[in-house]
Amino acid sequence: MEALGYRYDLQDHDYVRDHAFQGWQFDPRDKDLPAEVDPEKMGFRIEDQLKMGACRGHSLASGCEWNIRQEHGVEVQLSRWWAYRMTQRIDGISGDSGSTISGGLKLARTVGICREELCPYPSSYVQFGPTAKQMEDAALYKCGAYVDFKNNPGDPWDSALQWLAAYGYLDIGITWPPGLNAEFVVESFRPSNGGGHAIAILGYVRINGVLYLKVANSWNVRWGRKGYFLVSRKAFLEMLQHKYTACVGITSMSSPVRKPRVWTPGAHSLVG
């Protein structure tokens, strides 16, 4: 079994609901969406959480990197360890025992995430106290508004596609089904009573004319298909229905505003 780490038992559902942006929902008039948004083809980097429960740090840092790249066309590597340990501090968790989606939201909205060079990912779990330089750098990389996809009006699938095409990424925490380790394409979601896992939904692709969400995992490029897997409409809706799932759409804007995508596919090769 690979490392997990989403603490659904400590998730602050009230915070996620109460601080979410309330004025956004799918706009059926918006037809100018790309046929695909494929992070793999764009060379987006897949990371490795090793044997630690830092999946939340990975999903948060990777998703915010993706937003910066898509909106501004620049490459920034944010610190996965900062995102994990600082989220743990907010959650009141010590030791390598995971963290929450809600704690990561609080961190990204109020403190930010410093760059990897200022807080490198370790080979084993280590504590640290944030320095003034790290805090100053983190303040440059905050997320803006977010939408609670568990409680947002409208069709969740259409909303997810539109969000990924024009607004940001989806941060989702689920109970990880053991059988999913062997599946690249997830057609249905069978929740387990086991550990939770946080992952970043970055885009969508078409397989034989059918749309699937494209998800970046944090178990290195040897897992799945170069570190990615696909989720069907049916499986995504089943994930949202499960009581332990948390799913938020995060944007770098102060409110969800449709923004241009300026990243040129093939300009960099950063997978690995």
mmCIF file of all heavy atoms in Angstrom, residues 27 36 98 145 150 152 156 166 183 218 260 268:
data_model
loop_
_atom_site.group_PDB
_atom_site.id
_atom_site.type_symbol
_atom_site.label_atom_id
_atom_site.label_comp_id
_atom_site.label_asym_id
_atom_site.label_seq_id
_atom_site.Cartn_x
_atom_site.Cartn_y
_atom_site.Cartn_z
ATOM 1 N N ASP A 27 -21.984 28.065 -15.951
ATOM 2 C CA ASP A 27 -22.678 28.968 -16.865
ATOM 3 C C ASP A 27 -22.838 28.270 -18.211
ATOM 4 O O ASP A 27 -21.876 28.126 -18.965
ATOM 5 C CB ASP A 27 -21.877 30.259 -17.037
ATOM 6 C CG ASP A 27 -22.621 31.299 -17.881
ATOM 7 O OD1 ASP A 27 -23.672 30.954 -18.459
ATOM 8 O OD2 ASP A 27 -22.134 32.442 -17.968
ATOM 9 N N GLU A 36 -9.858 19.628 -24.480
ATOM 10 C CA GLU A 36 -9.123 18.930 -23.444
ATOM 11 C C GLU A 36 -8.251 19.919 -22.675
ATOM 12 O O GLU A 36 -7.855 20.952 -23.216
ATOM 13 C CB GLU A 36 -8.217 17.837 -24.032
ATOM 14 C CG GLU A 36 -8.931 16.654 -24.628
ATOM 15 C CD GLU A 36 -7.950 15.549 -25.032
ATOM 16 O OE1 GLU A 36 -6.744 15.865 -25.202
ATOM 17 O OE2 GLU A 36 -8.381 14.399 -25.162
ATOM 18 N N GLY A 98 -0.619 12.730 8.655
ATOM 19 C CA GLY A 98 -1.530 13.332 7.701
ATOM 20 C C GLY A 98 -2.000 14.721 8.076
ATOM 21 O O GLY A 98 -1.579 15.314 9.086
ATOM 22 N N ALA A 145 -10.020 32.816 -3.952
ATOM 23 C CA ALA A 145 -11.307 32.237 -3.562
ATOM 24 C C ALA A 145 -11.333 30.737 -3.847
ATOM 25 O O ALA A 145 -10.509 30.202 -4.590
ATOM 26 C CB ALA A 145 -12.429 32.940 -4.326
ATOM 27 N N LYS A 150 -18.899 20.200 -2.918
ATOM 28 C CA LYS A 150 -19.833 19.324 -2.216
ATOM 29 C C LYS A 150 -21.182 19.995 -2.016
ATOM 30 O O LYS A 150 -22.208 19.317 -1.882
ATOM 31 C CB LYS A 150 -19.258 18.926 -0.854
ATOM 32 C CG LYS A 150 -18.133 17.927 -0.913
ATOM 33 C CD LYS A 150 -18.634 16.495 -0.883
ATOM 34 C CE LYS A 150 -19.101 16.118 0.504
ATOM 35 N NZ LYS A 150 -19.425 14.672 0.625
ATOM 36 N N ASN A 152 -22.138 23.079 -3.847
ATOM 37 C CA ASN A 152 -22.360 24.112 -4.850
ATOM 38 C C ASN A 152 -23.567 23.755 -5.712
ATOM 39 O O ASN A 152 -23.748 22.600 -6.089
ATOM 40 C CB ASN A 152 -21.118 24.255 -5.741
ATOM 41 C CG ASN A 152 -21.071 25.593 -6.444
ATOM 42 O OD1 ASN A 152 -21.188 26.634 -5.807
ATOM 43 N ND2 ASN A 152 -20.897 25.582 -7.743
ATOM 44 N N PRO A 156 -22.601 19.034 -10.823
ATOM 45 C CA PRO A 156 -21.195 19.015 -10.396
ATOM 46 C C PRO A 156 -20.229 18.675 -11.528
ATOM 47 O O PRO A 156 -19.113 19.191 -11.562
ATOM 48 C CB PRO A 156 -21.171 17.935 -9.305
ATOM 49 C CG PRO A 156 -22.579 17.801 -8.851
ATOM 50 C CD PRO A 156 -23.419 18.077 -10.052
ATOM 51 N N ALA A 166 -11.221 26.977 -17.067
ATOM 52 C CA ALA A 166 -11.140 28.437 -17.068
ATOM 53 C C ALA A 166 -10.891 29.101 -15.723
ATOM 54 O O ALA A 166 -10.677 30.317 -15.685
ATOM 55 C CB ALA A 166 -12.441 29.006 -17.649
ATOM 56 N N GLU A 183 -5.862 0.504 -11.162
ATOM 57 C CA GLU A 183 -6.697 1.065 -12.212
ATOM 58 C C GLU A 183 -6.147 2.404 -12.682
ATOM 59 O O GLU A 183 -5.931 3.303 -11.875
ATOM 60 C CB GLU A 183 -8.135 1.261 -11.706
ATOM 61 C CG GLU A 183 -8.817 -0.008 -11.246
ATOM 62 C CD GLU A 183 -10.210 0.254 -10.700
ATOM 63 O OE1 GLU A 183 -10.764 1.336 -10.977
ATOM 64 O OE2 GLU A 183 -10.729 -0.618 -9.993
ATOM 65 N N SER A 218 0.564 11.570 -6.208
ATOM 66 C CA SER A 218 1.861 11.965 -5.634
ATOM 67 C C SER A 218 2.691 10.738 -5.268
ATOM 68 O O SER A 218 3.374 10.714 -4.246
ATOM 69 C CB SER A 218 1.646 12.846 -4.397
ATOM 70 O OG SER A 218 0.763 12.230 -3.470
ATOM 71 N N PRO A 260 -7.603 33.909 -18.812
ATOM 72 C CA PRO A 260 -6.962 33.306 -19.979
ATOM 73 C C PRO A 260 -5.916 32.288 -19.571
ATOM 74 O O PRO A 260 -5.308 32.387 -18.507
ATOM 75 C CB PRO A 260 -6.308 34.508 -20.664
ATOM 76 C CG PRO A 260 -6.061 35.473 -19.553
ATOM 77 C CD PRO A 260 -7.217 35.299 -18.604
ATOM 78 N N HIS A 268 7.989 23.411 -22.096
ATOM 79 C CA HIS A 268 8.910 22.840 -21.108
ATOM 80 C C HIS A 268 8.586 21.361 -20.954
ATOM 81 O O HIS A 268 7.478 20.920 -21.223
ATOM 82 C CB HIS A 268 8.742 23.520 -19.743
ATOM 83 C CG HIS A 268 9.102 24.967 -19.748
ATOM 84 N ND1 HIS A 268 8.281 25.933 -20.318
ATOM 85 C CD2 HIS A 268 10.179 25.623 -19.265
ATOM 86 C CE1 HIS A 268 8.842 27.114 -20.163
ATOM 87 N NE2 HIS A 268 9.989 26.937 -19.523
#
